[in-house]
Amino acid sequence: MIREDEVLLVKDRYGRWTLPKGHVEPGETDEEAALREIREETGVRGKILRPLGVTRYVFGKGKRRVAKTVVYYEVAYVDGEVAPQKGEILEAQWVPMEKMVEMVDYDNVRQLLKNLYKKNGRDGEI
């Protein structure tokens, strides 16, 4: 989620900063799921601008391994006040684009944010 020169990041239940994400409900498109998850996790409503990227990873759930694919979008802020989802999100905050990469704790999300920075006409490394 972008608002002027800021990106909305969330601190997940593991205490790691990342972008809002979640699962697709039956009958939902990836875009609809992205907007719903952002609203649920942060209290903020947005509008999809364009695809940002896809990440794939595997995590443990009990004794089994789960493969997950997450489709991210560049989303423009529409309205709403930041209100982290209780039980899922520890914190949510607007972060200046220049600082977003150093805050994020996941390499795959960090790369997406670097791409976002460049897509928004920024020069240099962050």
Side-chain angles (χ1 to χ4, degrees):
M1 169 85 58
I2 297 174
R3 178 181 74 179
E4 297 177 18
D5 289 336
E6 298 176 308
V7 173
L8 184 58
L9 297 179
V10 297
K11 187 184 279 188
D12 64 22
R13 67 179 115 187
Y14 308 107
R16 297 181 182 137
W17 287 101
T18 190
L19 291 169
K21 69 178 187 311
H23 64 281
V24 178
E25 297 283 351
E28 244 181 357
T29 65
D30 289 342
E31 294 89 349
E32 291 167 336
L35 294 175
R36 177 185 51 74
E37 287 288 347
I38 290 168
R39 179 74 176 198
E40 287 176 1
E41 291 185 359
T42 70
V44 174
R45 199 165 57 92
K47 176 180 87 170
I48 301 245
L49 298 176
R50 60 185 164 213
L52 184 57
V54 176
T55 64
R56 292 177 178 82
Y57 57 94
V58 177
F59 66 96
K61 195 168 191 175
K63 291 184 177 184
R64 61 183 194 146
R65 306 295 287 161
V66 178
K68 186 163 184 171
T69 299
V70 181
V71 180
Y72 290 94
Y73 295 92
E74 184 175 347
V75 177
Y77 170 80
V78 172
D79 62 19
E81 295 294 323
V82 175
Q85 181 182 21
K86 291 181 180 167
E88 288 287 320
I89 302 300
L90 301 176
E91 190 176 342
Q93 70 180 27
W94 290 104
V95 176
M97 279 192 155
E98 290 75 20
K99 297 199 179 284
M100 65 185 176
V101 170
E102 68 189 48
M103 277 185 71
V104 170
D105 291 302
Y106 298 103
D107 290 336
N108 54 1
V109 175
R110 192 174 297 114
Q111 187 58 53
L112 289 174
L113 291 174
K114 286 180 180 182
N115 295 341
L116 174 67
Y117 189 79
K118 290 176 185 173
K119 282 182 183 177
N120 279 278
R122 312 278 189 209
D123 292 324
E125 286 294 313
I126 52 171

